[in-house]
Amino acid sequence: MKRIQLPLATFAGTLLYFGAINAAETKTPLVPLPSIDDFTHGDGWGVGVGLGVEYESAYEGSDEFELEVDPAGGVQWRTGEHIFFWAGEAIGWRTLVDDSWLFQASLGYEEGREEGDSKDGRLNGLGESGSGAELLLEVRHALGQDWRYFLDGRISTGSIGTLGIFGVGTCLACQPDGTGWEIGAVVTFHDSEFANRGFGVNAQQSIDSGIPQTDVDGGFRSVGINVNYRYYLNKNWQLFGEALYERYGSDVSDSPLSRNDYEAEIGIGFVYVF
């Protein structure tokens, strides 16, 4: 599951423009799930700014890991059961229907892999993989009260190909304010364009790198588990954590670019909500 983030440099102008957020009593979030942030106090504007620290695979299929510090948070505007948001390189909208259906659409930018992502030089000669605009469509459906169990489906598509994610999740010790633990199990599929973006080697890349030419078919990509956690230290400070493990299928793990047959990350961070 991808997290969307807002660069810290954009917040100063945003805060001056929108002014101080009303310090009213915190109301029920759009949905009580730790993975769906709601920085608003009911209707109106909400702004959250913070930092996250992640230990993760350097790139897809890598056996190298790196520590990375990223900005976290976002700017949101809520009206009733609708939230419009800007976070990182994405803008979007999400809405709740009949208290059991969550729909989300966002438009963002996905950066490509660079040769320098491998400190051991295992990407030398491959150049940069494709970057481009990405449309994300997501729907979640609650299977019981308070979103204790839910189904999740996402499709990401654009100039870099198409990725589909389908899963089931549960919320453990979750509270109406959106705090607690969320655990999900997913299966993912990709088309050949998306598959070869991360794991394919074309003829020119093979000549430049010495890696055998490889074409990866579309279809099944991986199975995985993801965990999200959120806790309110007080009215303004939120602590969050996340972990992800993705196990590749044989078509992906057989690629010469797959130094590992899995991808993993773990992270923790905080957000200050104005």
Side-chain angles (χ1 to χ4, degrees):
M1 292 183 179
K2 290 182 182 180
R3 189 176 67 257
I4 45 182
Q5 303 165 327
L6 183 61
L8 294 174
T10 64
F11 277 103
T14 303
L15 292 176
L16 289 174
Y17 180 80
F18 294 124
I21 300 301
N22 186 357
E25 182 181 354
T26 302
K27 298 183 180 180
T28 303
L30 193 64
V31 288
L33 295 178
S35 62
I36 304 295
D37 50 38
D38 184 348
F39 301 137
T40 67
H41 299 276
D43 285 355
W45 291 99
V47 177
V49 58
L51 288 173
V53 179
E54 294 182 340
Y55 184 69
E56 60 184 356
S57 303
Y59 57 91
E60 293 180 336
S62 173
D63 60 355
E64 303 170 57
F65 288 81
E66 61 182 11
L67 194 66
E68 184 173 336
V69 179
D70 294 310
V75 176
Q76 303 172 342
W77 183 70
R78 180 172 174 178
T79 174
E81 304 299 345
H82 303 271
I83 288 182
F84 299 88
F85 61 86
W86 172 34
E89 297 173 325
I91 57 173
W93 158 80
R94 64 175 66 108
T95 186
L96 183 65
V97 178
D98 294 332
D99 293 326
S100 62
W101 290 92
L102 177 69
F103 297 94
Q104 176 171 300
S106 64
L107 182 64
Y109 182 80
E110 180 70 14
E111 297 181 354
R113 182 195 63 210
E114 299 179 355
E115 291 186 7
D117 290 342
S118 172
K119 305 305 180 184
D120 294 338
R122 290 169 177 163
L123 300 177
N124 291 349
L126 295 177
E128 181 179 349
S129 65
S131 303
E134 177 185 52
L135 174 65
L136 174 67
L137 302 174
E138 178 178 6
V139 58
R140 294 193 188 191
H141 178 56
L143 299 177
Q145 293 184 343
D146 301 324
W147 289 79
R148 178 67 183 275
Y149 304 99
F150 60 89
L151 299 176
D152 186 14
R154 275 168 286 165
I155 294 180
S156 172
T157 186
S159 58
I160 59 175
T162 300
L163 174 73
I165 303 175
F166 307 95
V168 59
T170 182
C171 203
L172 303 177
C174 286
Q175 303 300 316
D177 61 1
T179 58
W181 293 90
E182 179 186 321
I183 302 176
V186 300
V187 57
T188 66
F189 301 85
H190 53 196
D191 65 5
S192 59
E193 184 176 5
F194 195 97
N196 283 289
R197 173 177 177 265
F199 300 99
V201 180
N202 61 35
Q204 186 60 54
Q205 289 175 322
S206 179
I207 294 173
D208 295 339
S209 67
I211 300 174
Q213 186 172 344
T214 304
D215 183 72
V216 183
D217 294 332
F220 172 72
R221 173 187 172 93
S222 66
V223 295
I225 296 176
N226 56 76
V227 179
N228 285 275
Y229 174 74
R230 191 177 299 273
Y231 177 72
Y232 293 170
L233 298 173
N234 54 41
K235 181 178 179 180
N236 299 104
W237 289 97
Q238 298 183 10
L239 177 70
F240 68 86
E242 58 185 14
L244 167 70
Y245 178 82
E246 181 182 8
R247 182 83 175 195
Y248 297 130
S250 58
D251 286 348
V252 172
S253 59
D254 287 345
S255 166
L257 298 184
S258 295
R259 312 292 301 194
N260 260 339
D261 57 4
Y262 69 89
E263 182 178 352
E265 69 177 60
I266 186 169
I268 189 171
F270 67 89
V271 174
Y272 182 85
V273 180
F274 292 84

